Every structure is written in C-alpha cells, then in structure tokens.
Amino acid sequence: MKTAISLAALCLLVGACSNTTYTYTKSGGTDPALQDDLAQCKTVMARQVGDDAKEAMDKCMADKGYEKVVDKYRL
C-alpha cells in the first residue's frame, strides 16, 4: 500500500514539475478568429492520437498562419 501511495505521489510531483503551456499567435489575428481556427483544427486533430494529434494540431494552425508560443515553467 505504501508503494502505491508513494508511486502516486511521485507521479503527481513529476507531473507538476514539467508544466508546459502554449498558445497560438497570429499577427493581426482576433480572438474570435483564433477560436474558430482552433475548433476547425481540433476536428483534424481528433482523427489522430498521441504525438500525431499534437503534430496535426500544430500543422493545421501553422497552415492558418499561426505561430505556437511555448512557455515552460517548473514549480
């Protein structure tokens, strides 16, 4: 039981230490346009799994003129 709790605590700690946030930006873009483009790209992404889904989303947004901005931080 202690092992299961320790493993769960370790997973939570490691997950908290590798937080990454990102956004998509586009020169002259508006928030409503961003939301529409995200919705369209999510339908493309939904056909994929794992890293392929992430790549599909990034490619779709890049094709629409967006740049992915990644912020990494550690707690």
Side-chain angles (χ1 to χ4, degrees), residues 5 7 9-10 13 15 17-18 21 24 27 32-33 36 42 44 46 49 52 58-59 62-63 66 70 72-73:
I5 293 172
L7 182 57
L10 179 62
L13 181 62
C17 293
S18 63
T21 61
Y24 295 99
S27 179
D36 289 343
K42 284 180 183 178
V44 172
V49 294
D52 290 339
D58 292 343
K59 181 180 182 328
D63 289 348
Y66 290 89
V70 178
K72 292 184 180 181
Y73 59 92

Side-chain angles (χ1 to χ4, degrees), residues 13-36:
L13 181 62
V14 170
C17 293
S18 63
N19 290 324
T20 301
T21 61
Y22 64 89
T23 187
Y24 295 99
T25 62
K26 181 178 185 178
S27 179
T30 64
D31 191 53
L34 171 63
Q35 297 307 316
D36 289 343

Side-chain angles (χ1 to χ4, degrees), residues 37-49 52-53 55-57 59-60 64:
D37 290 337
L38 283 170
Q40 291 172 12
C41 289
K42 284 180 183 178
T43 62
V44 172
M45 179 184 78
R47 300 179 201 136
Q48 308 292 326
V49 294
D52 290 339
E55 290 173 15
M57 182 68 164
K59 181 180 182 328
C60 180
K64 293 180 179 295

